[in-house]
Amino acid sequence: MFLFFWTYFWILENLERTATVMPATWLDHWIGFVPSAFPVYLSLWLYVFLAPATIGNFRALAWFGVWVASLCLFCLAIFWWFPTRTPPVDIDWSLYPGLALIKSVDGAGNAFPSLHVASAVFSLCWLHRIVRQLRAPVALQWISAAQCLAIVWSTVATLQHVALDVYAGAAVGFAFAAASLAHIKDTTSASEKSTPSE
């Protein structure tokens, strides 16, 4: 996580190209600005730790790390070659201290694809596999999906991203999740296995 943020902020400070302003769509206008979405936006940092915390064997955990790092590197490469930013808005951020801090640090840069969304979708897919292999209640899958959807919504509702960033982030998240889960079939420990893995 430290290496990711170090690289991300280095890119923000050393952009060699002018950032392209991402256009807003009807969905952005429909969702609008919802200050109360900020805690949901922050909840990603808990959500993304659920999958690695519940993986039952070291091999799967190690490969999870490799795949999620690859996802981050892929997005960072896009940020470097195609820097983007969200459209300017006429909002007094000092009225929203939490969001003001994020805006001052992030500078509304590197919006496309939304790495926030890509990470959430990647985690959703892994959690779906883990919950199924643990034979946990199906309700947990629905709770996870609802949390992921709420995080995706919050990226637009906090004006950190526009809908186009979200679409691209979701596509990246699903692509890396599909590739990684095709590679890693079993997420359980030996003691958890009651039937052969998929």
Side-chain angles (χ1 to χ4, degrees):
M1 197 69 76
F2 171 79
L3 286 174
F4 164 76
F5 278 111
W6 182 86
T7 306
Y8 177 76
F9 289 120
W10 183 89
I11 289 174
L12 270 182
E13 294 171 5
N14 294 276
L15 292 177
E16 296 182 358
R17 299 170 177 81
T18 302
T20 299
V21 177
M22 294 301 294
T25 65
W26 67 269
L27 185 57
D28 299 288
H29 299 301
W30 182 71
I31 293 175
F33 176 48
V34 186
S36 59
F38 184 56
V40 181
Y41 181 83
L42 291 181
S43 72
L44 171 80
W45 304 111
L46 293 175
Y47 187 69
V48 295
F49 283 109
L50 292 176
T54 51
I55 291 174
N57 68 76
F58 181 76
R59 179 177 178 275
L61 179 61
W63 277 112
F64 175 91
V66 169
W67 279 102
V68 78
S70 299
L71 180 152
C72 290
L73 286 172
F74 176 80
C75 290
L76 288 171
I78 295 176
F79 296 163
W80 175 252
W81 290 109
F82 180 58
T84 55
R85 59 182 300 109
T86 53
V89 292
D90 186 21
I91 292 176
D92 182 359
W93 293 113
S94 66
L95 299 175
Y96 313 101
L99 281 165
L101 176 62
I102 293 291
K103 299 293 182 181
S104 66
V105 171
D106 201 17
N110 293 334
F112 179 93
S114 168
L115 187 49
H116 218 77
V117 171
S119 301
V121 169
F122 183 87
S123 298
L124 168 70
C125 296
W126 269 78
L127 283 168
H128 180 77
R129 169 72 62 83
I130 292 166
V131 168
R132 254 188 326 136
Q133 291 193 339
L134 290 176
R135 296 173 176 264
V138 176
L140 292 179
Q141 293 179 21
W142 287 105
I143 293 170
S144 174
Q147 181 61 33
C148 180
L149 188 60
I151 291 169
V152 170
W153 163 79
S154 75
T155 64
V156 176
T158 56
L159 305 184
Q160 279 294 98
H161 291 282
V162 296
L164 292 177
D165 306 329
V166 169
Y167 300 148
V172 170
F174 278 122
F176 275 83
S180 61
L181 290 170
H183 177 210
I184 303 300
K185 302 289 188 183
D186 185 19
T187 64
T188 59
S189 67
S191 62
E192 291 164 343
K193 294 175 185 173
S194 57
T195 59
S197 63
E198 298 174 306

